[in-house]
Amino acid sequence: MISNLKKVFFIALMFFNISCSTYQTIPYFQDLDHTKISQESIDNFSPLKIQAGDLLGINVTSLSTNNEFSSGNARVNGGSDGSNGNGKTNIPLGTENTNSNPVFGYRVNTAGEINLPYIGRIKVIGTTTDDLATKLTPQLEQYLKQPIVNVRILNFKISVIGDVLRPDIFTVQNERITIIEALGLAGDLNITAKRKNVLLIREYDGKREYMPIDLTSKKIFTSPYYYLQNNDVIYVEPDRTKYAPLDRGYRTFSLLLSSISAASVVFSAYFLYYNSK
């Protein structure tokens, strides 16, 4: 009887250890002290660089009423005269008017160039959108009075696939997005997802990189891959418990099994004590 009691106790202890070890794989940033405020400098952020295949939206606001930019491929917002009603000219360079369906943006070709009205071909690959705006401003001053140039990447998107709540392709308006924010857009990882081996796939400069990311460590915040780039893909691998039809069903089953094991220990101990009298 004592031997059987030991076996039951061992089984109950085994399930308890499994439950504890499973939980240890779930929390994020486990090596971060959650009991106090801490700070660190941000040294791993770098502005997004323009790549071949990017679609650039270039908007120019000017005090002049020069209509020449409103002809051809540049369509002017707010009327055919190029005026927006306050004496300024709004010129969204890169708005190509094809019949009634406008196509927005200038696509960067394989040589890293775009072709702008009057300016002609200009090398943009490897520069930031702010640098490009600064570069275009003096070139436009010979056509417009006090031009203000704004540039952004129109087709900036990231993909999140695998064991997340809402796998999808997400268009990003801001050129600054982190892997944590991307997973938030996808509804976070499911309870069955592997947090120690999230895979980031990146194509840049003719190469494809595969980077494993450990979300259970705070080192992710200082990783050079914490900030995402255009067309990044995040793959979240499921663990072996993914076979469970529902996360809640899996957790309920584990809790029920642990309860049965604990009850067996109590019952066996009571039965042993009762028979010893």
Side-chain angles (χ1 to χ4, degrees):
M1 182 59 66
I2 296 178
S3 177
N4 291 335
L5 182 60
K6 289 182 177 179
K7 290 180 180 179
V8 173
F9 179 77
F10 176 77
I11 293 173
L13 183 62
M14 180 182 65
F15 279 112
F16 177 77
N17 290 334
I18 291 175
S19 177
C20 292
S21 62
T22 301
Y23 173 78
Q24 289 300 322
T25 64
I26 294 176
Y28 298 142
F29 325 130
Q30 296 179 22
D31 50 353
L32 182 65
D33 190 349
H34 296 259
T35 63
K36 64 179 182 180
I37 298 176
S38 58
Q39 293 182 344
E40 61 183 11
S41 60
I42 300 176
D43 301 321
N44 57 332
F45 174 73
S46 58
L48 196 66
K49 299 294 182 66
I50 298 172
Q51 306 179 48
D54 284 350
L55 194 65
L56 302 182
I58 305 175
N59 183 275
V60 181
T61 301
S62 172
L63 293 176
S64 66
T65 56
N66 189 336
N67 289 332
E68 294 186 19
F69 272 88
S70 65
S71 62
N73 288 336
R75 188 184 66 175
V76 177
N77 291 336
S80 59
D81 63 349
S83 174
N84 58 15
N86 58 5
K88 294 184 179 181
T89 302
N90 245 350
I91 306 172
L93 297 180
T95 305
E96 299 182 1
N97 198 356
T98 305
N99 297 327
S100 59
N101 297 320
V103 178
F104 297 92
Y106 283 95
R107 186 172 297 278
V108 182
N109 63 22
T110 55
E113 300 174 334
I114 58 174
N115 191 12
L116 295 176
Y118 293 93
I119 295 178
R121 293 190 177 276
I122 182 172
K123 196 84 169 182
V124 298
I125 193 170
T127 64
T128 67
T129 53
D130 288 342
D131 290 340
L132 179 57
T134 302
K135 184 178 181 180
L136 291 177
T137 299
Q139 299 186 51
L140 291 173
E141 286 178 343
Q142 55 184 312
Y143 307 104
L144 302 171
K145 183 179 180 181
Q146 298 181 16
I148 299 175
V149 184
N150 289 288
V151 182
R152 71 183 186 93
I153 299 175
L154 300 178
N155 62 338
F156 185 17
K157 65 183 186 301
I158 50 96
S159 302
V160 184
I161 59 175
D163 200 8
V164 294
L165 183 61
R166 294 186 299 271
D168 207 342
I169 299 174
F170 300 95
T171 301
V172 181
Q173 299 297 326
N174 192 347
E175 295 178 5
R176 183 180 182 274
I177 183 172
T178 69
I179 188 171
I180 303 300
E181 292 170 330
L183 293 173
L185 290 175
D188 202 2
L189 279 66
N190 292 324
I191 199 70
T192 54
K194 289 185 176 181
R195 287 153 172 76
K196 286 183 172 290
N197 194 26
V198 174
L199 185 64
L200 175 63
I201 305 171
R202 173 172 297 173
E203 294 183 3
Y204 186 79
D205 197 21
K207 298 178 181 179
R208 183 179 293 111
E209 294 181 299
Y210 304 90
M211 286 75 63
I213 303 294
D214 183 2
L215 295 178
T216 65
S217 173
K218 69 174 183 178
K219 292 180 181 180
I220 177 62
F221 293 109
T222 56
S223 167
Y225 305 109
Y226 179 64
Y227 294 94
L228 301 181
Q229 297 183 10
N230 193 13
N231 298 315
D232 276 357
V233 177
I234 301 171
Y235 170 63
V236 179
E237 183 181 359
D239 66 12
R240 295 182 180 180
T241 59
K242 188 60 180 178
Y243 70 87
L246 293 173
D247 294 337
R248 181 177 297 178
Y250 170 73
R251 293 195 298 268
T252 302
F253 175 76
S254 299
L255 180 61
L256 180 61
L257 194 59
S258 299
S259 300
I260 293 174
S261 300
S264 299
V265 173
V266 174
F267 178 77
S268 299
Y270 175 78
F271 183 77
L272 180 63
Y273 174 76
Y274 180 79
N275 289 338
S276 64
K277 289 185 176 181

